[in-house]
Amino acid sequence: MKIISVVGARPNFMKIAPIVRAIKKHGGIHHILVHTGQHYDYEMSGSFFKELGIPHPDINLEIGSASHARQAGLIMMEFEKVLLKEKPDVVIVVGDVNSTMACSLVATKLGIAVAHVEAGLRSFDRNMPEEINRLVTDSVADILFTTSLDANIHLRHEGILPQRIFFVGNVMIDTLLNSLTKARKTKILERMGLQKETYTLVTLHRPSNVDDKNDLSRIMQALGEIQKSIKVIFPVHPRTKNNIQKYYSASQLKKWKNLQLIEPLGYFDFLNLMSYAKVVLTDSGGIQEETTVLGIPCLTLRNNTERPVTITQGTNILVGTDKKRIIRESQKILQGKIKNGQRPKYWDGNASQRIVQILVKLYQQKQLRRV
Ligand code: UD1
């Protein structure tokens, strides 16, 4: 069997790492890793390959940043050439970034089976570019691997046949569980002069939170209030950095003495910081899941989530983007009012193994492709 796996942007790397390992462990599979180059900075891409032991991509399309249409178009043109040459039996795509959607479309149009890992998540918010990517990818995918049973329900409502849907668990958690011991050994706390559980960790990168001046200011002001009570550590995504630089002067930022803006961190350092944080404030999808497994309180600065299991079972609370609410909910946690959670089913470190077993079985039964 010949498999092509696709990665493009930061959250894809932690998802593909355990799949690549499981493919290798299984043996007898010809595997090709394609990086679209959607993310290209060392901090956003290269460092993850190194830390997570992902092999160097066999092919890098080097597409880089562009408008969504241009980025997706360029990825499609280049990925088509790869598929025509390599003719794999199946293309594995993960998550919900532009690369996921673009590569799924190319593969399905060439009659090649598409396996989508992390299928069926829905925020029901079509203003999110990722929601469009999820809908398009799932509508063409042949094999849909889900992380939670709500995703199965969404896919069934959308008319996907049950024999195409496989609840396998969460590959991002495979990576977390495999990395935690190592991550806890990094010296990031010492380097930053931090003590365990004495800081808030923040990440922000959703266009709806960071692109518009008013939206970003509301959140920054909330952080300005929170840093009066606890140190706030904020590794800044490039999109967010561009906007902070546009809207804030260095002297304005300096006024918030306990708010530390730093460069994006590598996987191990970030996981270390997250595992010892008092609370995490984020608009990321993956971090809602990771904090749930770590048992760390998470406040999600969005009005919806495609990962409701992190609320119903985990430590996540959806707080929206209202300044007062963000401050109020943070204070509650600082006062010790903490929500206890549990780890969702199959978030056990073995999701990738399940995926590879299912793919091999479908291949042997000549059922990879939906007909
Ligand atoms: C993308 C994904 C999002 C994911 C996020 C994680 C889509 C639609 N969005 O959003 O789902 O959660 O990645 O980071 O696919 N830039 C750099 N260096 C890089 C990459 C980007 O400086 O290596 C800057 C560029 O100015 C670029 C901007 O960041 O224009 C945004 O990058 P882009 O890949 O378009 O989207 P993200 O916001 O990163």
Side-chain angles (χ1 to χ4, degrees):
M1 172 157 70
K2 189 172 188 179
I3 298 180
I4 288 191
S5 306
V6 176
V7 288
R10 185 168 62 177
N12 290 166
F13 306 133
M14 308 68 148
K15 294 173 192 167
I16 219 68
I19 298 177
V20 173
R21 239 190 344 268
I23 289 175
K24 202 168 160 203
K25 194 169 159 204
H26 184 279
I29 298 173
H30 181 181
H31 179 248
I32 296 173
L33 182 62
V34 174
H35 189 343
T36 64
Q38 179 175 344
H39 283 175
Y40 42 88
D41 284 348
Y42 181 72
E43 295 81 22
M44 298 299 288
S45 171
S47 79
F48 292 87
F49 280 78
K50 198 168 151 216
E51 291 191 331
L52 300 176
I54 309 170
H56 198 70
D58 299 289
I59 299 165
N60 192 327
L61 307 180
E62 295 185 349
I63 300 302
S65 304
S67 73
H68 282 209
R70 188 174 162 76
Q71 190 175 57
L74 289 169
I75 293 172
M76 288 177 74
M77 282 157 60
E78 293 307 311
F79 192 57
E80 185 178 49
K81 291 181 203 162
V82 172
L83 291 188
L84 287 172
K85 178 160 179 269
E86 298 294 343
K87 299 188 174 50
D89 297 295
V90 58
V91 170
I92 301 180
V93 293
V94 296
D96 55 16
V97 303
N98 287 346
S99 304
T100 313
M101 179 208 66
C103 293
S104 307
L105 277 180
V106 179
T108 199
K109 288 206 172 212
L110 290 175
I112 297 167
V114 174
H116 184 206
V117 175
E118 211 184 68
L121 298 183
R122 296 289 179 268
S123 65
F124 299 101
D125 174 0
R126 290 199 179 203
N127 290 316
M128 271 181 98
E130 292 80 3
E131 183 73 355
I132 307 298
N133 292 341
R134 291 178 203 119
L135 286 163
V136 173
T137 303
D138 286 341
S139 71
V140 300
D142 298 280
I143 307 144
L144 299 100
F145 293 117
T146 64
T147 52
S148 54
L149 286 171
D150 54 290
N152 289 46
I153 294 170
H154 297 148
L155 294 172
R156 293 288 291 123
H157 282 163
E158 290 167 19
I160 312 276
L161 295 174
Q163 60 268 32
R164 293 272 135 209
I165 307 170
F166 300 90
F167 173 35
V168 290
N170 194 323
V171 289
M172 194 164 214
I173 302 309
D174 289 3
T175 292
L176 185 151
L177 296 175
N178 191 46
S179 312
L180 193 55
T181 309
K182 223 184 228 174
R184 283 195 158 141
K185 288 186 186 143
T186 79
K187 300 276 177 260
I188 183 81
L189 292 182
E190 289 94 318
R191 274 206 324 272
M192 294 192 63
L194 296 168
Q195 307 292 323
K196 292 175 188 170
E197 292 175 36
T198 61
Y199 58 89
T200 293
L201 183 63
V202 177
T203 81
L204 285 177
H205 74 284
R206 294 275 158 220
S208 60
N209 279 341
V210 304
D211 283 0
D212 174 80
K213 187 176 178 186
N214 290 329
D215 296 331
L216 181 62
S217 296
R218 262 200 324 273
I219 300 177
M220 290 299 284
Q221 282 168 24
L223 298 182
E225 259 323 289
I226 295 166
Q227 60 90 46
K228 290 178 185 164
S229 335
I230 185 166
K231 227 176 215 172
V232 176
I233 310 298
F234 184 177
V236 188
H237 181 281
R239 170 190 286 280
T240 314
K241 185 177 177 182
N242 291 342
N243 289 311
I244 291 181
Q245 281 170 346
K246 199 153 74 187
Y247 305 136
Y248 288 89
S249 67
S251 61
Q252 270 173 308
L253 295 171
K254 265 196 198 130
K255 274 192 282 184
W256 294 321
K257 290 198 179 62
N258 252 341
L259 169 63
Q260 231 172 306
L261 304 184
I262 58 173
E263 292 297 318
L265 292 168
Y267 182 76
F268 289 153
D269 278 341
F270 187 78
L271 180 53
N272 186 331
L273 274 189
M274 184 161 53
S275 75
Y276 291 124
K278 184 87 183 161
V279 52
V280 175
L281 271 60
T282 190
D283 60 9
S284 149
I287 293 172
Q288 297 171 52
E289 301 182 332
E290 291 168 335
T291 46
T292 273
V293 170
L294 293 167
I296 300 291
C298 177
L299 300 180
T300 296
L301 310 190
R302 288 172 46 189
N303 295 317
N304 52 56
T305 178
E306 61 288 333
R307 292 160 162 93
V309 74
T310 61
I311 298 177
T312 52
Q313 296 183 36
T315 56
N316 188 19
I317 301 174
L318 212 51
V319 297
T321 56
D322 175 67
K323 178 183 150 190
K324 285 191 183 142
R325 173 124 200 254
I326 297 171
I327 298 168
R328 200 169 58 236
E329 295 290 341
S330 301
Q331 277 164 353
K332 275 196 214 161
I333 291 172
L334 300 187
Q335 288 156 9
K337 291 180 194 146
I338 287 171
K339 176 186 171 199
N340 287 319
Q342 65 188 50
R343 193 187 295 183
K345 187 173 173 194
Y346 286 168
W347 292 21
D348 59 0
N350 298 319
S352 307
Q353 218 170 301
R354 292 185 194 105
I355 287 172
V356 173
Q357 278 164 2
I358 291 167
L359 287 178
V360 170
K361 196 166 158 209
L362 290 173
Y363 172 73
Q364 287 165 345
Q365 295 172 343
K366 300 196 176 2
Q367 284 184 359
L368 280 172
R369 184 91 171 128
R370 162 160 50 143
V371 282

